Amino acid sequence: MRKTLIAFGSALSLMLVSLGQTVQASEPVDQSNPYQLIEQVAENTFSRIRKDRTLLRADPDLLRDVVKDELLPYIHTRYAASLILGAQYYRKATPEQRDAFTEAFTEYMIASYAQILLEYDDQTIEVQKDKPIDPNDKIVKVRVDMTDASRPPIRLDFSLRKNTRTGNWQAYDVTAEGVSMIQSKQSEWKTPLRRDGIDAVVEQLKEIAKRPIRREDKQKQDAS
């Protein structure tokens, strides 16, 4: 079984400019196989983090760029956003509102994954071995088991969807220990969507996405 390094989150061209140093993004990932896609994205992401550890510790907000370049191209953000809205709110929304929600959700997700990556500390994972994929299959789940000497093991299941036009696979959801990100956000934002409307939720997501990327202990100190 293949082994590599990863933190929670899959779950996305980084340019870090510091003291005159520029770091280029990793090479594009082959999206024709969902199992290899997950492994390659993980390897690119965490090789980047290990390489630029000093810069990222000095300015954690640079992790947003890591997510944008290493993870985001392989996540179907529009599909994920439509699932979170659900048929009820998606049908009612105007095309402009759908675009605004997708954009705000994408920025929210970038910030969320950046916060997760900040906690990365050389965890080890095992990516599920390739399984035969039926040509008619449009959805595949890839299991990832993460182990950390200081914490209980974590199971992640990445859901990927095949683009019928290009044949490329993209992730759209991740389930951690049985809890789906899509279902969690559907539940969390159901009441605000009903009570305040999609425009208000878009503004809330924008505000959350603007929060600085900081370790939890640092955030608590700043709030006190």
Side-chain angles (χ1 to χ4, degrees), residues 19-166:
L19 301 177
Q21 181 180 11
T22 302
V23 181
Q24 299 295 330
S26 301
E27 293 297 322
V29 171
D30 180 6
Q31 294 179 250
S32 63
N33 182 295
Y35 300 94
Q36 294 177 15
L37 169 65
I38 292 297
E39 184 175 28
Q40 291 173 20
V41 167
E43 179 60 33
N44 285 351
T45 301
F46 295 106
S47 292
R48 186 83 156 267
I49 291 175
R50 292 193 301 271
K51 180 180 178 181
D52 303 310
R53 191 186 302 271
T54 301
L55 293 173
L56 296 172
R57 284 180 175 176
D59 186 359
D61 273 303
L62 290 173
L63 281 164
R64 296 178 192 269
D65 295 321
V66 177
V67 174
K68 290 177 184 178
D69 294 334
E70 305 298 348
L71 302 179
L72 197 59
Y74 312 107
I75 296 180
H76 201 327
T77 54
R78 181 169 291 275
Y79 183 62
S82 69
L83 291 178
I84 289 172
L85 278 178
Q88 177 184 359
Y89 296 105
Y90 189 83
R91 285 197 301 263
K92 290 181 180 179
T94 66
E96 292 76 17
Q97 286 177 319
R98 294 172 188 171
D99 288 344
F101 182 83
T102 299
E103 182 178 349
F105 170 69
T106 299
E107 291 302 317
Y108 167 87
M109 188 167 55
I110 289 169
S112 297
Y113 279 119
Q115 187 65 50
I116 290 166
L117 291 176
L118 184 60
E119 307 302 323
Y120 168 70
D121 191 25
D122 287 348
Q123 290 88 347
T124 301
I125 71 158
E126 294 183 348
V127 180
Q128 179 181 0
K129 289 183 178 179
D130 292 16
K131 289 185 176 180
I133 302 173
D134 189 288
N136 295 320
D137 287 345
K138 300 298 184 292
I139 302 292
V140 167
K141 288 191 175 183
V142 178
R143 175 174 175 171
V144 174
D145 292 297
M146 183 173 71
T147 58
D148 186 321
S150 62
R151 304 174 188 176
I154 296 175
R155 171 176 172 173
L156 306 175
D157 291 282
F158 291 89
S159 297
L160 299 97
R161 183 172 182 262
K162 185 178 183 180
N163 185 310
T164 55
R165 181 175 58 84
T166 65

